[in-house]
Amino acid sequence: MKAVVITSPGGPEVLQLQEVEDPQIKDDEVLIKVEATALNRADTIQRKGSYPPPPGASPYPGLECSGTILQLGNSVTRWKVGDQVCALLSGGGYAEKVAVPAGQVLPAPDGVSLKDAASFPEVACTVWSTIFMTSRLSVGEAFLVHGGSSGIGTFAIQTAKYYGAKVFVTAGSDEKLAYCKDLGADVCINYKTEDFVGRVKEETAGKGVDVILDNMGGVYLQRNIDSLNFDGRLFIIGFQGGSTSQINLASLAAKRLTVQAAGLRNRTPENKALIVKEVEKNVWPAIKEKKVKPVVHKYFSLSQAAEAHQLMESSKHIGKILLLP
């Protein structure tokens, strides 16, 4: 099969489409013929050499895909050959075929094209496992997502609105903020021209928001803490603004705050399967009702992976960037 290989750590130009061995499936895995895969920021970090795949995972990038099941492992019972699915991967999505544990596979959602289904697994599992399963965002609460126009952001806006939250977003341009508003965001903040802490306080009568999903890390930590209401929950999923920070711990105690951080890729297959099951139960109905829609900025072929990475790193996109074999 053909797959995108990271020929050496470096810039987008190190991504090369090459002929490689087909993946071998284990008893609890299925083999998927890939219809599409989607870019995630983690792929660009892996390309630079800073985010190696977990032991035993495919060396090729790609943390999600959609496609058709070609082959079943001996112990797989739920799926059959020919099923149209999408899946959460530990790697290997940038290829024509990929092996994945059966518990990380979801049916392609109704009403969405098979290729666009590739835009969902990573964002759905990230958003559901963080702000819902862990931070317990509930009806009537206020929720802030940084990077509202990203793949995670556009999905988080729609899902939080579906579950009855008031949604605040930050983004870096009026065009991105307008898109977020169209998706349902209630309060849209341009972080380049406005202080998000001040705006959050102003819009919440000084209280702050209840839950924050943050991709910036260190540079935003104290400001996120300052933006939270009593019993507020901050969940950190990225470190685009660095991974170190100095904070005032007294402000955590005074407002009874919770700060948590996690990734998806290095979780156990059992933990991923649990998240995937929850996503199918709680998010797939919203997609079926067309209350949560795929947001795809652009499609590239696998041979254009370098160009797709350049676009992602420019941050000029809104939503997801897909690669098609």
Side-chain angles (χ1 to χ4, degrees):
M1 68 167 185
K2 288 189 170 68
V4 174
V5 176
I6 300 168
T7 53
S8 64
E13 70 285 349
V14 304
L15 299 172
Q16 302 284 332
L17 190 62
Q18 296 182 0
E19 196 71 36
V20 300
E21 294 286 316
D22 278 8
Q24 300 300 308
I25 61 166
K26 301 182 181 129
D27 283 351
D28 63 345
E29 292 183 331
V30 301
L31 185 68
I32 296 174
K33 179 180 186 285
V34 176
E35 179 82 11
T37 186
L39 269 67
N40 288 280
R41 203 138 306 250
D43 306 342
T44 66
I45 304 168
Q46 180 178 339
R47 190 201 71 224
K48 293 171 187 170
S50 302
Y51 192 41
S58 167
Y60 315 123
L63 298 175
E64 57 194 331
C65 74
S66 61
T68 308
I69 293 183
L70 286 176
Q71 191 185 341
L72 306 172
N74 293 331
S75 62
V76 176
T77 54
R78 176 177 178 183
W79 306 105
K80 60 184 190 298
V81 171
D83 281 348
Q84 295 197 327
V85 296
C86 55
L88 180 69
L89 311 173
S90 297
Y94 289 24
E96 291 177 326
K97 298 171 196 167
V98 66
V100 57
Q104 290 165 221
V105 178
L106 288 146
D110 292 340
V112 174
S113 70
L114 186 56
K115 68 179 178 180
D116 283 356
S119 70
F120 283 131
E122 179 77 14
V123 293
C125 291
T126 297
V127 167
W128 193 260
S129 66
T130 54
I131 63 175
F132 291 98
M133 290 172 76
T134 310
S135 297
R136 306 280 175 200
L137 180 67
S138 51
V139 178
E141 288 195 314
F143 165 62
L144 166 63
V145 58
H146 292 297
S149 61
S150 67
I152 295 271
T154 52
F155 186 87
I157 292 165
Q158 296 179 83
T159 313
K161 286 302 289 183
Y162 181 80
Y163 278 98
K166 181 176 182 179
V167 177
F168 293 63
V169 301
T170 62
S173 75
D174 290 344
E175 181 201 1
K176 288 179 175 180
L177 292 169
Y179 199 96
C180 293
K181 195 159 192 64
D182 285 347
L183 286 176
D186 299 288
V187 179
C188 302
I189 305 163
N190 187 328
Y191 67 82
K192 292 181 179 173
T193 60
E194 295 181 87
D195 166 37
F196 73 80
V197 182
R199 186 77 191 283
V200 162
K201 290 288 178 67
E202 185 188 315
E203 296 280 351
T204 58
K207 289 180 183 171
V209 294
D210 301 291
V211 175
I212 299 175
L213 186 62
D214 173 61
N215 60 341
M216 295 303 293
V219 71
Y220 273 13
L221 184 55
Q222 186 63 55
R223 280 185 279 170
N224 280 330
I225 288 167
D226 294 342
S227 301
L228 283 168
N229 194 1
F230 284 91
D231 297 306
R233 291 87 77 198
L234 166 62
F235 208 109
I236 301 166
I237 55 165
F239 305 102
Q240 285 172 238
S243 56
T244 59
S245 185
Q246 191 165 356
I247 60 161
N248 177 3
L249 288 171
S251 55
L252 289 182
K255 292 199 283 184
R256 305 183 297 273
L257 304 181
T258 303
V259 179
Q260 290 177 284
L264 258 186
R265 190 182 198 181
N266 291 304
R267 292 174 185 251
T268 64
E270 293 77 17
N271 192 243
K272 288 178 184 173
L274 176 71
I275 294 166
V276 164
K277 191 175 175 183
E278 289 289 310
V279 163
E280 184 176 354
K281 183 173 132 193
N282 296 291
V283 178
W284 255 223
I287 298 171
K288 189 175 182 178
E289 292 168 35
K290 301 209 178 319
K291 295 288 196 295
V292 174
K293 297 172 184 168
V295 179
V296 179
H297 184 83
K298 194 167 182 183
Y299 305 94
F300 290 91
S301 67
L302 269 187
S303 60
Q304 297 172 300
E307 203 181 320
H309 272 230
Q310 282 167 348
L311 173 60
M312 173 161 267
E313 290 179 307
S314 77
S315 290
K316 288 178 181 161
H317 62 293
I318 292 173
K320 298 287 284 188
I321 300 165
L322 266 52
L323 294 178
L324 311 176

